[in-house]
């Protein structure tokens, strides 16, 4: 009796999709110096709702496009904006479960710092510690990177300065005048760059938090495609003079007013574009 033929070899892994095996661990560099697992984590963030942060002359505003996955879902559940303590707030996007661990870590860091030093944790220290925590998960083969990005709004009571940081899946942390993450990151950055945020000659010309709420609402609604995207709820918070330099949710009436203004502004812009197209054709 002839022996049974050997089993067929397993199908070859696609070089393009597998990164030639260099994507099997976040602790392995590819020959051209890339860490594919970190890049995949960044791609996971791009599948989440758009998150925006804006540093205004009198405070910081955060906004997140939260997709409504189920009509039975309560509006107040599954939040994307969280308070760390009175002087710090986080807006997250990407994998919500991963983001929750970043929020919990931020709260632990804030509590531990205050217990040790008797004062609130400075904004730069909080963002650096969060970045170090996230970066740790890119160093070991038994772990995977976080598929979430966190925008940190903070107020330093000693220096009387407010700030905006963003912590990325790679473990990088930077301070911004305005930043964006999620699926609408690139077009949102283009819109944010049009705002007056860093007029050093006349700081009074920089945008206020009230105007910032309107602008963020406009950007989120302008990027939302009702034909392709799921319905969403707009979450917004601020940390400013009006809130007593405490991180709080933007009042619902202010959000509703801003959304109405945003929709009207978008409609007017579309009408102007149509008129200009007709003039060019004529």
């Amino acid at each position: 009796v002839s022996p049974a033929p050997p089993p067929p070899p397993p199908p070859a892994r696609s070089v393009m999709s597998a990164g030639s095996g260099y994507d099997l661990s976040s602790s392995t560099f590819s020959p051209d110096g890339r860490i594919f697992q970190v890049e995949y984590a960044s791609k996971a963030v791009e599948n989440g709702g758009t998150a925006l942060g804006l540093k205004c002359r009198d405070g910081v505003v955060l906004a997140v496009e939260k997709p409504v996955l189920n009509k039975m879902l309560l509006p107040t559940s599954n939040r994307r904006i969280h308070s760390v303590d009175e002087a710090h707030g986080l807006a997250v996007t990407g994998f919500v479960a991963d983001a929750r661990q970043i929020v919990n870590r931020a709260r632990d860091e804030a509590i531990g710092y205050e217990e040790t030093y008797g004062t609130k944790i400075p904004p730069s220290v909080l963002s650096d510690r969060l970045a170090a925590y996230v970066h740790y998960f890119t160093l070991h083969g038994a772990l995977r990177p976080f598929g979430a990005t966190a925008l940190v709004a903070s107020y330093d009571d000693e220096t009387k300065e407010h700030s905006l940081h963003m912590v990325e899946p790679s473990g990088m942390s930077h301070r911004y005048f305005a930043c964006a993450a999620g699926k609408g990151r690139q077009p949102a950055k283009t819109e944010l760059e049009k705002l007056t945020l860093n007029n050093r000659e006349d700081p009074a010309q920089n945008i206020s938090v009230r105007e910032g709420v309107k602008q963020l609402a406009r950007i989120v609604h302008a990027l939302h495609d009702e034909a392709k995207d799921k319905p969403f709820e707009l979450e917004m918070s601020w940390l400013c003079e009006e809130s007593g330099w405490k991180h709080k949710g933007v009042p619902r009436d202010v959000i509703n007013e801003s959304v109405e203004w945003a929709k009207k502004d978008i409609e007017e812009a579309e009408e102007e574009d149509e008129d200009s197209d007709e003039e060019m054709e004529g």
Side-chain angles (χ1 to χ4, degrees):
V1 179
S2 60
R13 290 169 59 89
S14 169
V15 175
M16 294 299 292
S17 63
S20 300
Y22 293 102
D23 65 341
L24 299 179
S25 171
S26 61
S27 61
T28 304
F29 281 95
S30 70
D32 56 350
R34 297 165 64 185
I35 302 179
F36 287 102
Q37 284 289 327
V38 174
E39 294 182 14
Y40 296 162
S42 299
K43 287 291 184 182
V45 174
E46 292 178 5
N47 293 331
T50 304
L52 305 173
L54 191 62
K55 179 180 180 291
C56 308
R57 66 171 184 265
D58 54 346
V60 184
V61 184
L62 300 175
V64 180
E65 173 196 12
K66 184 180 79 173
V68 179
L69 305 177
N70 192 317
K71 292 182 179 179
M72 303 298 289
L73 192 68
L74 291 175
T76 55
S77 66
N78 204 23
R79 289 199 172 277
R80 302 291 199 275
I81 296 181
H82 306 267
S83 288
V84 176
D85 59 17
E86 289 184 347
H88 302 84
L90 258 67
V92 295
T93 187
F95 283 153
V96 180
D98 285 10
R100 186 171 62 243
Q101 300 306 314
I102 298 176
V103 174
N104 290 338
R105 180 70 179 198
R107 289 170 176 167
D108 290 343
E109 292 288 356
I111 292 171
Y113 190 95
E114 188 168 5
E115 288 178 349
T116 303
Y117 301 104
T119 184
K120 296 290 185 183
I121 186 169
S124 60
V125 175
L126 177 61
S127 60
D128 287 346
R129 290 188 178 185
L130 283 182
Y133 175 70
V134 172
H135 180 239
Y136 180 82
F137 283 76
T138 70
L139 300 176
H140 298 272
L143 306 174
R144 70 161 175 81
F146 284 94
T149 290
L151 281 62
V152 187
S154 305
Y155 177 71
D156 192 331
D157 191 48
E158 292 188 3
T159 63
K160 307 300 180 183
E161 292 183 354
H162 52 284
S163 60
L164 172 67
H165 294 80
M166 183 164 69
V167 180
E168 302 178 44
S170 62
M172 292 296 294
S173 172
H174 297 289
R175 186 173 177 178
Y176 292 89
F177 288 105
C179 58
K183 64 182 179 182
R185 178 180 63 90
Q186 198 57 48
K189 284 175 62 178
T190 302
E191 292 296 321
L192 290 170
E193 289 171 357
K194 298 177 182 178
L195 304 177
T196 305
L197 303 173
N198 187 27
N199 189 335
R200 297 181 180 180
E201 295 180 358
D202 187 7
Q205 296 297 321
N206 292 333
I207 193 171
S208 66
V209 289
R210 283 278 180 167
E211 182 64 23
V213 170
K214 292 182 178 181
Q215 293 297 335
L216 294 189
R218 180 185 62 81
I219 293 172
V220 171
H221 279 272
L223 298 179
H224 182 76
D225 189 344
E226 295 183 359
K228 298 180 181 179
D229 300 332
K230 295 180 180 179
F232 74 95
E233 176 189 352
L234 180 60
E235 287 190 20
M236 303 190 82
S237 70
W238 58 17
L239 193 158
C240 57
E241 292 179 0
E242 190 169 339
S243 68
W245 294 114
K246 296 180 180 180
H247 181 253
K248 296 180 179 179
V250 178
R252 179 51 56 180
D253 59 333
V254 176
I255 295 178
N256 293 338
E257 179 184 334
S258 300
V259 169
E260 291 179 6
W261 175 88
K263 291 180 177 179
K264 184 178 180 181
D265 187 73
I266 293 171
E267 290 177 359
E268 292 176 353
E270 291 176 349
E271 290 176 359
E272 290 179 1
D273 291 340
E274 291 177 0
D275 293 341
S276 61
D277 290 341
E278 291 177 357
E279 291 178 0
M280 291 179 65
E281 292 176 358

